[in-house]
Amino acid sequence: MASGKETKLHIILLLLVLAVFVWSVIKPAVFMTWMAEVGPSVIALIVVVATYNKFRLTTLSYFILALLSILTFIGGHYTYAEVPLFNWLKEEFELARNHYDRFGHFLKGLSVIVIREILVRKTPLYKGSWLTGISISMVLALAALYEIVEWLSTKLPNAKKVAKDFLGMQGDQWDAQWDMSCAFLGAILATLILSGLHNKQITKLDAWKER
């Protein structure tokens, strides 16, 4: 198991995520959009908490899950196209759109580390090119699945406003392709930059489990 110090850090991350969750549910821009945006993160958090003692992840993976959850809660509260800081950046630098959605999909590429860890610890895959390729491919597959879900939301009856906010296309017909590309790039960079640190944390966690 992880050390007491790391367990305390995990609890702090969880409390931070819960605090942002509570804030996000207070008067969101569109409640149905908020539910659609934060739903997957809430389910993921429930699974992570429920399996904490049986399958404890590395601190890096928990940090990434916390970051992505907070990112989603902020986007759900304002809608991705109306996050204030990115509206300010849009006006300040005369950008064509609010880029919080692009930023969010890029950071979702960090989930490659969590996927990588699950594959290393639960499958016969070894650290190497096959693990890297499959992990990045799974991120891209999840990004594509999310875009399909967004598209299906436009087919729901009486849900045009929610679907519009959920999609966050802002008039860009290539929004889905951009979102998947951002997640793909994020996954590649995360693998290149964080794999070494991740390997050390996995080794350390394995050592604790053997005690």
Side-chain angles (χ1 to χ4, degrees):
M1 291 298 174
S3 67
K5 183 178 179 181
E6 288 178 321
T7 300
K8 290 179 181 178
L9 178 56
H10 300 164
I11 293 173
I12 291 171
L13 287 173
L14 177 60
L15 292 176
L16 177 60
V17 169
L18 290 176
V20 178
F21 172 79
V22 171
W23 163 82
S24 73
V25 76
I26 299 173
K27 296 182 180 179
V30 183
F31 186 72
M32 290 302 295
T33 301
W34 176 86
M35 289 185 64
E37 295 287 5
V38 309
S41 290
V42 170
I43 293 172
L45 284 172
I46 291 172
V47 172
V48 167
V49 172
T51 60
Y52 184 74
N53 289 324
K54 293 182 179 179
F55 184 67
R56 192 166 300 191
L57 299 170
T58 59
T59 297
L60 178 60
S61 286
Y62 284 129
F63 178 81
I64 289 170
L65 289 170
L67 175 63
L68 296 182
S69 297
I70 290 171
L71 183 86
T72 302
F73 296 157
I74 293 172
H77 181 81
Y78 294 109
T79 77
Y80 275 74
E82 297 295 338
V83 173
L85 174 60
F86 283 75
N87 272 339
W88 175 81
L89 291 172
K90 175 184 175 182
E91 296 173 5
E92 186 71 15
F93 296 98
E94 299 181 353
L95 304 175
R97 58 174 286 151
N98 181 308
H99 283 285
Y100 187 77
D101 188 40
R102 300 274 194 267
F103 175 71
H105 281 87
F106 174 76
L107 286 187
K108 285 174 183 176
L110 290 170
S111 63
V112 71
I113 297 298
V114 183
I115 292 171
R116 180 180 187 272
E117 179 166 343
I118 294 171
L119 291 176
V120 166
R121 295 173 58 192
K122 289 294 184 179
T123 74
L125 283 170
Y126 293 97
K127 298 166 188 173
S129 57
W130 275 101
L131 175 65
T132 298
I134 292 174
S135 300
I136 293 175
S137 295
M138 290 182 70
V139 170
L140 191 55
L142 288 172
L145 177 61
Y146 193 81
E147 297 304 320
I148 292 172
V149 171
E150 286 187 340
W151 169 72
L152 288 174
S153 72
T154 66
K155 306 302 179 183
L156 296 175
N158 304 318
K160 290 185 178 179
K161 169 62 177 172
V162 174
K164 179 177 178 294
D165 292 332
F166 185 48
L167 283 170
M169 292 179 65
Q170 301 181 64
D172 185 356
Q173 64 176 329
W174 303 110
D175 184 68
Q177 287 81 0
W178 271 109
D179 289 348
M180 288 186 288
S181 297
C182 287
F184 184 47
L185 178 60
I188 292 173
L189 290 177
T191 300
L192 291 173
I193 296 170
L194 298 175
S195 288
L197 172 61
H198 192 219
N199 288 339
K200 291 179 181 178
Q201 291 198 0
I202 290 175
T203 300
K204 182 179 178 181
L205 185 59
D206 288 341
W208 273 97
K209 286 174 63 180
E210 291 173 0
R211 290 186 178 182

